[in-house]
Amino acid sequence: MEGTIPPAQPPPGPRLGPPRSLRPWRRRPNPLRRPTDRFQARIGLGLLLAVLVVAPVAGVVVEELAHRHYTDTARHQALTRHETSATLTEDVPRHPEPGSDEAKLARYPAEVRLTTPDGRTATTRAEVPPGLSAGSQVRVWVTAYGEATEPPLTREQIRSRSMGCALLAAMGTVLTGAAAHAVTCHVVRRRNLTAWERAWAETAPRWTPSG
């Protein structure tokens, strides 16, 4: 019928197709991104991957080498050092807090007299417990020449020192990668500044009105 108003129609439905969040991401070129920026990003990513790969390997290799070195050192120390009895020739200072844990672990240097493996009488200074008087008997580690020394390395000391070397190797790898990245960024920054100054020298005359 002429002159009648047609019924209202529902609004058009949504456009067919995947939601915006599900659409494949497309890399759009950035006109402000310089080739040096891409180079710097690639170098940073390469150094990061290299550090992640090299650091654990370096730690394992260094730990194995250090463990072998300290094991040989401990074996040599066990052959060239021995524990013997010695006699104090002087009084040892008393710890200010006797009975404490620090007093039990504290050691003071004192002069002792001992007999070397070849039968000679020698005098040396050794670390002994506090509070002992002259004439007391103590156990000390000495070399074949009768000089006081430390006892051979224990397994725990070998393990802790090896792990310390491994940690230092891993940290050194990380620091080397960080230093390489810093040097790369510095070189790229200097190159960008040089290029910017060159471009400005060519553009400035067209922006500056002539007198």
Side-chain angles (χ1 to χ4, degrees), residues 62-102:
V62 171
E63 182 180 7
E64 178 65 24
L65 295 176
H67 190 275
R68 189 179 307 172
H69 166 73
Y70 288 120
T71 301
D72 294 340
T73 301
R75 187 179 299 112
H76 179 266
Q77 291 175 347
L79 295 175
T80 57
R81 302 177 182 183
H82 70 281
E83 191 179 18
T84 185
S85 297
T87 303
L88 284 171
T89 61
E90 59 183 355
D91 295 335
V92 183
R94 185 176 301 276
H95 195 273
E97 296 181 4
S100 63
D101 294 337
E102 295 181 359

Side-chain angles (χ1 to χ4, degrees), residues 20 37 76 104 119 166 207:
R20 183 179 298 272
D37 297 332
H76 179 266
K104 297 177 182 178
W207 285 60

